[in-house]
Amino acid sequence: MGKILERYDEARERYGELGVDTDQAIDTLAKIPVSMHCWQGDDVIGFLFPDQELTGGIQTTGSYPGAAKTPEELRHDMELALRLIPGTHRVNLHSIYADTTEKVDLNELEPRHFAAWVDWAREQKVGLDFNPTCFSHEKAEDGFTLSSVDKGIREFWIEHCIRCRKIGEYFGKELGSPCVTNIWIPDGYKDTPVDRLAPRERLMEALDRILQEPIDPKYLLDSMESKVFGIGSESYVTGSHEFYLGYAVRHNTLLTLDTGHFHPTEMVSNKISAVLLFLDQILLHVSRPVRWDSDHIVALDGELIEIAHEIVRGNYLNRVHIGLDYFDASVNRIAAWVIGMRNMQKALLYALLEPVADIQKAEAEGDFTKRLLLLEELKSMPWESVWEYYCLKQGVPVGMTWMEEVLQYEKNVLSGRKA
Ligand code: RNT
Ligand code: ZN
């Protein structure tokens, strides 16, 4: 502990020389919630239809033992993860994670089916975010939901989404912070369609119906998530980026930018400032695409840092909701949460430890040499000493010592679970 304090003092001094206040950076970091997605804990299966395979053109691979099978197990696993992650966060649920013994379909869900989650969230002091689950269901079998040509199918999913907004509102009311409710649908064609418009018209009408009832933004924030392609929707996706950007601007909703949902050379970091000129708030689904929308665990890579820079430099901390979205079944799932959540915060800390005004001034004056020099020099500054001190201050394990607890838990709890 003495070593950590010593190293922090030195780091504070060195950053101080650059005009960066490390104490303030830490205080700010502690207040940035990251929404931890429950679906990493059980490979996106949920509890309503446990025998249903994952569809919608997304996929988990791997068979690491210990996936949660019940709400209790999942909550228990998340409790451990949350204990090992510094800061105060949120938990992101999908509708298929309803905690109920009733046999209930997606178009019948009600807030009461999530009461146990609310009790738990209160106890854990986390806010909740939410998602309708427009996949992994018999009514999504032909790959279309809200934009289906079949009216009955559309009505089913419209009803589901309407109910999910009510559940989101309930979360927001009960927990005292707005629940970001994110609609993502898998709809699209494997092969090139001849009518690209009709499904988009149907989606637009469906969304209009879903959003018809105004809900106080104190409780609920509506967001929608685009995608460029999925498995089985390689040639056309109804809910494209342009579609939802237009919809969000017109209806003043949030827009979800998932880092895996664009062409490989398109970067979400470069989109944030553009869309925030026209929208009040956005939601990020931070993921890591490897060759495709593979939903790998968030790594501390260049794009993650660039995203954090954009949020901090643009002063967008109150306008960008940060959520994680990945599912890897090939490693310990609790470690997957902890590594991804910690990486997101490391990137934010790195960004908070930048003398933004100085670098921006150099840029504005056309002094690109100085801009480059500062940006490069910052890469060898002792940000990790600040990170260690932050963890210490937040009462969570420093470095990778947290893994010991996860391994212990694996031995005592996870290994006893049936495959
Ligand atoms: C799929 C979207 C969506 C899902 C989750 C499970 O491509 O990214 O956000 O990953 O809702
Ligand atoms: Zn996503």
Side-chain angles (χ1 to χ4, degrees):
M1 179 168 145
K3 274 253 155 33
I4 295 172
L5 296 179
E6 240 171 70
R7 283 200 292 262
Y8 177 66
D9 275 344
E10 199 187 312
R12 176 164 49 194
E13 208 177 296
R14 284 192 53 200
Y15 276 106
E17 286 161 14
L18 287 178
V20 173
D21 183 339
T22 53
D23 291 327
Q24 200 188 316
I26 287 174
D27 284 349
T28 306
L29 183 62
K31 290 187 199 117
I32 308 175
V34 178
S35 197
M36 189 170 93
H37 56 311
C38 75
W39 52 92
Q40 166 58 48
D42 76 330
D43 315 334
V44 210
I45 298 300
F47 310 120
L48 286 184
F49 316 106
D51 301 324
Q52 167 74 51
E53 58 163 351
L54 178 59
T55 71
I58 54 179
Q59 218 167 61
T60 53
T61 50
S63 52
Y64 202 87
K69 292 281 183 323
T70 64
E72 291 73 25
E73 287 180 351
L74 185 60
R75 287 194 282 263
H76 210 241
D77 294 356
M78 283 196 285
E79 280 168 31
L80 174 57
L82 289 169
R83 269 208 308 281
L84 302 173
I85 298 164
T88 341
H89 299 291
R90 304 177 63 78
V91 165
N92 199 1
L93 297 178
H94 244 281
S95 72
I96 46 171
Y97 290 81
D99 183 356
T100 174
T101 49
E102 286 171 49
K103 232 192 132 1
V104 56
D105 206 348
L106 296 177
N107 60 343
E108 300 163 342
L109 283 172
E110 289 183 31
R112 67 192 163 85
H113 301 121
F114 292 86
W117 280 109
V118 166
D119 292 341
W120 177 79
R122 209 176 270 128
E123 201 183 280
Q124 292 291 311
K125 301 194 172 53
V126 294
L128 290 178
D129 296 312
F130 201 49
N131 304 262
T133 313
C134 302
F135 52 86
S136 299
H137 189 278
E138 56 181 19
K139 292 221 160 48
E141 249 163 29
D142 67 354
F144 280 85
T145 62
L146 291 177
S147 73
S148 171
V149 73
D150 180 325
K151 186 158 189 297
I153 299 276
R154 278 199 318 274
E155 289 300 324
F156 175 85
W157 293 109
I158 289 170
E159 184 61 27
H160 173 53
C161 291
I162 290 175
R163 282 168 182 264
C164 285
R165 289 183 77 226
K166 299 303 277 181
I167 295 163
E169 176 187 35
Y170 158 73
F171 287 168
K173 268 192 189 154
E174 292 290 323
L175 300 170
S177 75
C179 169
V180 182
T181 301
N182 174 54
I183 298 180
W184 172 72
I185 60 165
D187 302 27
Y189 288 115
K190 182 180 181 70
D191 231 329
T192 315
V194 291
D195 189 350
R196 294 172 200 261
L197 175 63
R200 291 188 172 135
E201 282 176 335
R202 291 193 289 266
L203 177 56
M204 193 163 85
E205 276 168 32
L207 291 171
D208 288 350
R209 293 256 314 277
I210 292 164
L211 299 179
Q212 207 165 19
E213 185 190 329
I215 295 182
D216 194 331
K218 250 192 1 227
Y219 306 129
L220 176 96
L221 296 170
D222 293 293
S223 196
M224 36 206 80
E225 179 178 10
S226 71
K227 191 162 180 170
V228 64
F229 79 90
I231 299 176
S233 60
E234 289 86 354
S235 303
Y236 170 88
V237 163
T238 313
S240 62
H241 180 55
E242 293 73 12
F243 174 91
Y244 282 125
L245 179 59
Y247 196 92
V249 168
R250 179 181 283 173
H251 297 276
N252 198 22
T253 68
L254 278 70
L255 179 74
T256 305
L257 298 175
D258 182 309
T259 50
H261 288 197
F262 297 89
H263 286 289
T265 57
E266 268 189 282
M267 294 295 150
V268 161
S269 53
N270 191 33
K271 298 180 185 295
I272 295 172
S273 61
V275 300
L276 282 176
L277 274 176
F278 303 97
L279 295 171
D280 285 343
Q281 299 175 50
I282 57 169
L283 167 66
L284 296 183
H285 266 192
V286 184
S287 185
R288 177 165 53 106
V290 178
R291 305 197 184 279
W292 69 292
D293 178 35
S294 60
D295 293 288
H296 278 63
I297 299 163
V298 167
L300 186 58
D301 59 14
E303 171 62 355
L304 190 72
I305 291 176
E306 204 55 29
I307 287 172
H309 273 316
E310 282 302 306
I311 300 173
V312 171
R313 290 174 187 159
N315 232 330
Y316 297 137
L317 281 169
N318 293 326
R319 297 173 62 195
V320 177
H321 302 262
I322 306 170
L324 305 189
D325 180 16
Y326 52 79
F327 18 101
D328 188 336
S330 72
V331 299
N332 181 297
R333 294 173 183 78
I334 297 168
W337 273 317
V338 180
I339 292 169
M341 291 287 284
R342 281 185 170 237
N343 278 341
M344 186 70 240
Q345 290 176 87
K346 283 180 183 173
L348 287 163
L349 176 65
Y350 186 87
L352 288 163
L353 291 171
E354 184 184 71
V356 182
D358 283 354
I359 311 180
Q360 283 179 341
K361 183 162 173 277
E363 181 171 278
E365 288 167 354
D367 190 348
F368 304 142
T369 316
K370 186 172 178 191
R371 178 182 67 184
L372 184 64
L373 173 71
L374 281 170
L375 287 175
E376 291 308 302
E377 198 55 30
L378 281 161
K379 289 180 182 166
S380 48
M381 288 288 285
W383 65 270
E384 78 283 0
S385 301
V386 183
W387 169 256
E388 287 193 338
Y389 173 73
Y390 173 66
C391 290
L392 187 76
K393 215 177 150 208
Q394 289 282 324
V396 303
V398 173
M400 48 186 187
T401 54
W402 58 264
M403 195 56 201
E404 289 158 26
E405 241 183 279
V406 173
L407 288 175
Q408 202 57 46
Y409 186 81
E410 179 168 299
K411 209 168 129 220
N412 298 343
V413 181
L414 301 182
S415 66
R417 288 183 190 165
K418 282 199 222 74

